[in-house]
Every structure is written in structure tokens, then in C-alpha cells.
Amino acid sequence: QVQLVESGGGSVQAGGSLSLSCVASGFTYTDNCMGWFRQTPGKEREAVATIFAGDGSTFYADFVRGRFTISQDKAKNTVYLQMDSLKPEDTAVYYCATQRCWVGEHCRDNYCFTRMSVSRSQNYWGQGSQVTVSP
């Protein structure tokens, strides 16, 4: 079965950096979109960044573009989120997610981001990792 195991996160002051890792298993890694979402109490879970595991194509939400970097290690079936220049408003529980991409070479640019945001019922989720940024 699909498993996503997260690690990392924690607490940092504004302007600092944190990183998250997510080890995936139970599916053919390179067939899937991988992504990071975040959620704060009372708000909907929102997409932060996605990567198509097949070719490494990435896409970011406007509010993290230029500060966060999503990357992967195919050999380890692992996706990462490097978070720099953190702001208090980045405080949230961060979730790793995955969804099969069925359109081959079209799984690029913003396809994974859009698909994982719209078709949430098809996402598999990690356990969540707390990220806290203090002023």
C-alpha cells in the first residue's frame, strides 16, 4: 500500500530555514506527482509545491516561490522541501502528498500542482509535520 513517511520540520525564528523529507513506498515512484501541502487550523489544506517524479518538473505557489525549493532523490524515492527565509505566516502542519499522473509527458509545469489541488480525494497523504516560525 502507498506510504509516505515524513521527517523534519520544527521551530525557527523568522528568516531562518527548515527542511522536510518524505520517503515514499508502495507505488512506482516515477509515475507519480509528489507534493507538499500545508494547513492551519480552520483553513483548507493548500498546495505549496509539486514535482513530477518522472522528470523533476516543479511548480510553486506564489506565496513560497523564490523561498522554498522542492527536490527529489529518485534512487531513494524521497522528496524534499527546503524552506528558506521563513515567515511567521508559514507556520502550519505540512503534509507530503502523492497522486498518480496518467498523462505521461504532460505531467509537467503546473499540471501536478493543479491536479493535486483540484482532485484531493485522489491524493495519498503523509502523517504531517509541524513547522513553527516565530517573529
Side-chain angles (χ1 to χ4, degrees), residues 2-22:
V2 174
Q3 283 193 321
L4 301 172
V5 179
E6 301 177 30
S7 60
S11 299
V12 70
Q13 289 190 320
S17 298
L18 289 171
S19 63
L20 297 168
S21 299
C22 173

Side-chain angles (χ1 to χ4, degrees), residues 37-107:
F37 284 66
R38 70 187 188 186
Q39 190 170 24
T40 54
K43 292 186 67 176
E44 187 177 60
R45 198 171 294 187
E46 60 183 359
V48 173
T50 59
I51 185 168
F52 174 51
D55 68 2
S57 178
T58 61
F59 195 84
Y60 297 90
D62 287 345
F63 52 79
V64 301
R65 188 172 289 118
R67 300 189 297 121
F68 290 13
T69 303
I70 189 170
S71 62
Q72 65 177 354
D73 184 337
K74 288 184 183 180
K76 297 181 179 179
N77 284 8
T78 300
V79 63
Y80 306 96
L81 186 68
Q82 177 64 38
M83 302 176 286
D84 299 320
S85 301
L86 281 160
K87 304 175 182 180
E89 51 264 45
D90 293 319
T91 296
V93 178
Y94 283 71
Y95 294 89
C96 179
T98 190
Q99 181 180 133
R100 175 73 186 269
C101 187
W102 297 96
V103 295
E105 65 179 20
H106 300 292
C107 303

